[in-house]
Amino acid sequence: MKSRILPVLLGLCCLGSLASASEYFRPPNLEKKLFETDKITIDERGFDKWALKGVVADLVSVARDFDEEDGVDFDLRSNALAIASRLDPANAKIKSTLDQLKERGKTVSERAKKESVGRRLNDCVGRMRGMRRGVLMKKSDGKLIEPGPDRLTCAAYIANIAERLDPGADLALELKGHIAELAGAGYKPDWSGMLLDPERPPGERGPKPRDWEIAMPGGTAEKFARNSSTVTGLMVRQLGRGKLAGQASEVNATALPKEGLDGLAFTFNQPVGTQMGGCLEEVIKFLRVRYEVGQPELVPDGYEVELGFGNKFQPKDGPSGAVAFALLIDSLFSGEEVDPNFACTGDMTADGRVQKIGGAAAKIRGAAVKIRGAADKGLPIVGIPIGNRDEMRDVLLLDGIDPLVGIQIFTLEDFEEARDISRMEKKGEVTRALAAFEEVAKDLKPGDRKANATLLADAGIRKRLERVVELMPNHLSARLLLESGRGTLPKTLTVRGTLQQIEIVTAGTFENAGRQVFRAKFGGDPSEFGFDSGSASDAKDAMAELETLEKFVDPAVKDYLAAAKLLCQAVADGPGEDEKPAAYGKRVERLMARVAETLSGVAS
């Protein structure tokens, strides 16, 4: 098995290789007129130059130093750069941050705190309104400052950015007061048309996403049994610092008659990659056998079925949507409603077998809260490929039982198992198993590992869990809780799980190291080799996380872990006493080679 890190370490040239897993950044529109920039001043008391530099630096910080892990999305980052660019068009840091986001979907961040940036932006808004700490300011001649309309318009945009950056800040009430008073005077931000279409990162590999239309012969039905259906799919994205974020996202299918169309046509509401398009082709092959051959009376003619995603500007590829697509389209043919409490992930072959996918553990971890929050009633139901079940043991080992109690996870071997648990009208044994597990979940205590260990060892609770498994042998949550109660869970992560955890922790540091070595080897000045304070701090954080992880790693990965720790330590500590930058660069390069060597040994 190979990791995404290995090419970075071996080639030192795939700096954009992770961008395909990120949501595309939408660059700001720098042409739309928002306000007359040359009429903008921060105040009239001699602080113009420095105040302007300060607010631009804070707007750049919003775009550069925070990401979705911090609750800051791409739209806010783009908006911040839009205002900063208008205030200081020639600023090199604005250009550097914008180029990084456009090319790679992430930035080399510096250390910053939301509350500090937000506080300074709030202060700037007050000064642009002619106030300081709630007191009206005066010019040097003693007269009150009277801000012009362009300055107040700019203040409204900056206030909006500050509020979105840190809505729960201590100064939120003061900021809301600024926003309300500006709005009352007619100054409101208008972000419409400010986000351009995303640019595909040049480092992204593989064929460019494209439109797809997959045909299926029509049948004798007058129309589909249902015109639309929705299911929740699980996906995973990589954030700017190497962290993986699980998402629960609705996917819908809409069937509409199309004049002049012979048969059926299946499309997406946006261009998608070849893996996703290919998995839909496999799904249609499966459904053709199921309906065209088996039940042609349920197949209409002259309809286009569009598969749609909530966020059209997030790139879509990978085969893990296959099960969701199959369930959606099957629902249109059969008329059976999909349970809104159901979510799934998994690839599928043309004969209906569910295949293993990547990132299952991250999907469950990151999406669990979102799924629970969206559930209409009862515990959410999640289906994952049977080939990913060992990864859920890794989740249990690292996170405790909470992710397995808050949702009911089932393994899926084939389409029929997915169909059984996904429909609103379920078979009796499915309904009874779901209800029985919910009763057990009510007796457990979220976040209390010690109490839960005692409860799961209780013979009564174990018997109830055994009943769940008897009713539904593929109820993975019940099976894993039983293993936990019996003390039969593995004490270490799987090899795959260990590699994934190390990769999550070290991705940012490894990429920073690779970038610096690449620059030193190809055109850079080796005498300037080194890392900024943000990179060193990130490496220190990675070291701490690796030490926490150490007791759980599979023995086969220990050499790789040790090499990873040494590399992170070198980046965190910087050059040794009397060590020249060029020699330090060579040492980092050797450590990277050692990491690659040990990882290659695991992969082989």
Side-chain angles (χ1 to χ4, degrees):
M1 175 179 42
K2 295 182 179 179
S3 167
R4 290 193 302 270
I5 290 175
L6 186 55
V8 179
L9 299 170
L10 295 176
L12 304 179
C13 59
C14 60
L15 302 182
S17 64
L18 300 179
S20 61
S22 302
E23 180 177 346
Y24 286 167
F25 171 74
R26 301 178 67 189
N29 181 350
L30 301 181
E31 303 299 324
K32 180 181 176 181
K33 181 178 177 180
L34 301 181
F35 43 77
E36 293 290 346
T37 305
D38 59 357
K39 296 182 180 180
I40 299 298
T41 55
I42 306 302
D43 61 45
E44 284 88 355
R45 301 176 62 195
F47 299 118
D48 298 306
K49 177 181 177 182
W50 302 112
L52 179 66
K53 289 182 69 173
V55 71
V56 168
D58 284 325
L59 290 170
V60 170
S61 179
V62 172
R64 179 193 60 212
D65 300 332
F66 306 101
D67 58 26
E68 283 190 351
E69 189 180 357
D70 307 302
V72 178
D73 61 21
F74 272 146
D75 288 358
L76 176 54
R77 299 168 80 179
S78 181
N79 292 162
L81 289 176
I83 303 305
S85 297
R86 284 162 169 79
L87 294 175
D88 190 2
N91 188 293
K93 289 190 176 181
I94 296 174
K95 183 180 185 304
S96 172
T97 301
L98 182 57
D99 287 346
Q100 289 179 58
L101 287 168
K102 287 165 64 175
E103 293 173 7
R104 301 170 50 239
K106 56 184 176 177
T107 55
V108 179
S109 63
E110 298 179 10
R111 284 291 162 184
K113 293 183 178 180
K114 283 171 112 179
E115 55 268 28
S116 299
V117 175
R119 183 176 62 252
R120 291 193 295 268
L121 290 174
N122 175 70
D123 183 57
C124 172
V125 171
R127 293 167 69 179
M128 295 185 80
R129 294 187 63 212
M131 305 173 69
R132 186 70 182 264
R133 297 193 178 104
V135 178
L136 292 174
M137 298 169 66
K138 295 180 180 181
K139 301 179 185 179
S140 56
D141 61 6
K143 295 181 180 180
L144 290 176
I145 294 173
E146 297 179 3
D150 293 288
R151 176 164 143 172
L152 292 174
T153 300
C154 180
Y157 279 98
I158 294 173
N160 176 265
I161 290 168
E163 182 186 38
R164 290 157 61 195
L165 173 68
D166 196 9
D170 292 339
L171 292 172
L173 286 178
E174 181 180 334
L175 189 59
K176 288 182 185 297
H178 286 312
I179 292 170
E181 291 175 15
L182 285 165
Y187 299 105
K188 299 179 181 179
D190 177 12
W191 296 111
S192 61
M194 286 302 297
L195 296 174
L196 302 179
D197 288 341
E199 299 180 12
R200 189 168 189 253
E204 185 172 305
R205 299 174 176 182
K208 186 176 181 178
R210 65 178 178 87
D211 294 323
W212 293 75
E213 182 174 298
I214 301 167
M216 175 175 173
T220 58
E222 183 179 340
K223 60 181 182 179
F224 277 103
R226 295 179 65 88
N227 287 329
S228 65
S229 190
T230 301
V231 70
T232 299
L234 302 183
M235 60 186 71
V236 67
R237 298 177 45 229
Q238 186 148 9
L239 302 178
R241 300 171 194 169
K243 301 293 185 181
L244 294 178
Q247 292 183 309
S249 178
E250 282 193 352
V251 186
N252 58 72
T254 305
L256 295 173
K258 186 173 183 179
E259 188 174 349
L261 177 64
D262 290 328
L264 304 176
F266 297 88
T267 65
F268 294 98
N269 71 337
Q270 67 176 91
V272 303
T274 54
Q275 291 186 44
M276 182 168 286
C279 85
L280 180 59
E281 288 179 329
E282 293 299 293
V283 165
I284 299 306
K285 290 176 186 176
F286 168 76
L287 293 171
R288 286 187 65 174
V289 174
R290 187 179 184 89
Y291 286 102
E292 179 190 338
V293 177
Q295 303 175 77
E297 69 279 4
L298 297 179
V299 181
D301 189 51
Y303 274 77
E304 181 179 68
V305 177
E306 183 184 77
L307 297 174
F309 306 93
N311 186 349
K312 292 178 64 174
F313 294 103
Q314 181 174 323
K316 306 296 189 304
D317 200 7
S320 62
V323 173
F325 300 156
L327 291 170
L328 279 176
I329 299 170
D330 181 76
S331 172
L332 301 182
F333 284 125
S334 68
E336 296 174 339
E337 184 180 358
V338 177
D339 188 340
N341 282 359
F342 173 79
C344 65
T345 184
D347 192 7
M348 199 178 88
T349 62
D351 62 359
R353 288 178 291 115
V354 176
Q355 301 292 293
K356 186 175 184 177
I357 46 87
K363 291 174 183 178
I364 292 296
R365 279 197 189 96
V369 173
K370 297 177 185 178
I371 300 170
R372 286 199 296 270
D376 289 341
K377 57 182 180 179
L379 292 177
I381 306 160
V382 175
I384 67 168
I386 192 169
N388 292 106
R389 61 186 168 189
D390 286 345
E391 291 175 61
M392 296 304 105
R393 290 187 173 89
D394 291 341
V395 172
L396 183 58
L397 187 62
L398 291 173
D399 301 346
I401 70 169
D402 287 3
L404 304 179
V405 173
I407 52 181
Q408 303 206 44
I409 305 173
F410 289 79
T411 56
L412 306 175
E413 193 163 2
D414 55 39
F415 175 78
E416 291 304 327
E417 287 190 343
R419 193 171 184 274
D420 284 346
I421 63 173
S422 69
R423 293 302 184 239
M424 280 294 291
E425 297 295 327
K426 298 179 175 62
K427 296 178 180 178
E429 62 270 23
V430 179
T431 302
R432 291 193 295 275
L434 293 173
F437 186 82
E438 283 205 31
E439 290 303 313
V440 173
K442 290 177 184 177
D443 290 337
L444 298 173
K445 303 183 184 301
D448 192 336
R449 289 200 180 202
K450 187 174 181 180
N452 287 328
T454 302
L455 288 168
L456 290 173
D458 178 76
I461 285 184
R462 282 164 52 181
K463 186 172 182 180
R464 290 155 63 191
L465 288 170
E466 288 167 355
R467 175 59 178 160
V468 174
V469 173
E470 182 183 331
L471 288 166
M472 292 294 293
N474 62 332
H475 198 302
L476 184 59
S477 291
R479 281 191 175 276
L480 293 182
L481 292 182
L482 271 174
E483 289 183 26
S484 180
R486 294 167 177 163
T488 57
L489 276 176
K491 303 302 181 185
T492 60
L493 298 168
T494 60
V495 171
R496 182 186 182 89
T498 303
L499 290 175
Q500 287 178 343
Q501 288 303 310
I502 295 175
E503 182 175 352
I504 289 169
V505 170
T506 61
T509 296
F510 284 5
E511 187 171 352
N512 285 337
R515 187 183 301 111
Q516 292 295 77
V517 170
F518 181 84
R519 287 173 179 168
K521 288 176 70 71
F522 302 101
D525 185 351
S527 67
E528 296 180 356
F529 188 92
F531 300 94
D532 59 30
S533 58
S535 298
S537 182
D538 284 344
K540 192 173 296 184
D541 291 344
M543 274 290 300
E545 292 187 59
L546 289 175
E547 288 174 1
T548 301
L549 184 66
E550 193 163 12
K551 63 182 178 181
F552 297 116
V553 301
D554 186 283
V557 189
K558 284 191 178 294
D559 287 347
Y560 171 51
L561 175 67
K565 288 175 63 178
L566 287 174
L567 177 55
C568 290
Q569 188 75 62
V571 174
D573 292 347
E577 189 175 353
D578 298 328
E579 185 177 27
K580 302 290 186 183
Y584 175 49
K586 289 293 185 183
R587 177 160 64 91
V588 170
E589 184 178 356
R590 290 193 298 272
L591 290 171
M592 289 182 67
R594 176 58 181 164
V595 170
E597 178 186 347
T598 54
L599 177 57
S600 183
V602 176
S604 62

